[in-house]
Amino acid sequence: DMKSRKQKGLKMATNEFRALIAKYLALRNVDTADFIASIGMNKSTYYRRMKEPELFTVAELRAIGNCLRIPRDEIATIVLSFK
């Protein structure tokens, strides 16, 4: 049904978002704790948001993208699928 399809889509987008962050942390050789500090986020807030990335604010997503130098189109494609 429609609801389970939407949940599957959200789960896939969540996994893609986590993979994107992991990819850029590795590519940029950035320690996760340093990354969290540099985007100005509390550690527990960061991990809570990573469980449900659709809860990230636009400002938080912008900070993540800027810090890890993630191309805007790459992050936007995933974020738009959270809707």
Side-chain angles (χ1 to χ4, degrees):
D1 70 335
M2 188 69 164
K3 191 174 182 181
S4 69
R5 205 170 351 169
K6 187 171 181 163
Q7 286 175 326
K8 277 184 184 170
L10 183 60
K11 185 163 177 55
M12 205 160 97
T14 295
N15 290 340
E16 286 177 22
F17 183 80
R18 289 180 188 146
L20 181 74
I21 299 302
K23 169 185 163 182
Y24 280 96
L25 283 169
L27 282 173
R28 308 296 185 226
N29 195 28
V30 176
D31 175 74
T32 305
D34 293 341
F35 163 66
I36 294 168
S38 72
I39 60 172
M41 191 176 279
N42 179 289
K43 193 167 90 170
S44 62
T45 301
Y46 172 78
Y47 285 109
R48 189 169 53 252
R49 296 271 203 279
M50 287 303 283
K51 283 183 181 175
E52 298 179 84
E54 68 275 15
L55 300 179
F56 275 108
T57 66
V58 171
E60 291 165 345
L61 290 168
R62 192 172 289 129
I64 289 168
N66 290 340
C67 179
L68 295 177
R69 300 188 316 278
I70 301 173
R72 282 190 182 186
D73 61 324
E74 211 171 331
I75 205 163
T77 302
I78 296 170
V79 170
L80 291 174
S81 60
F82 288 148
K83 302 294 174 218

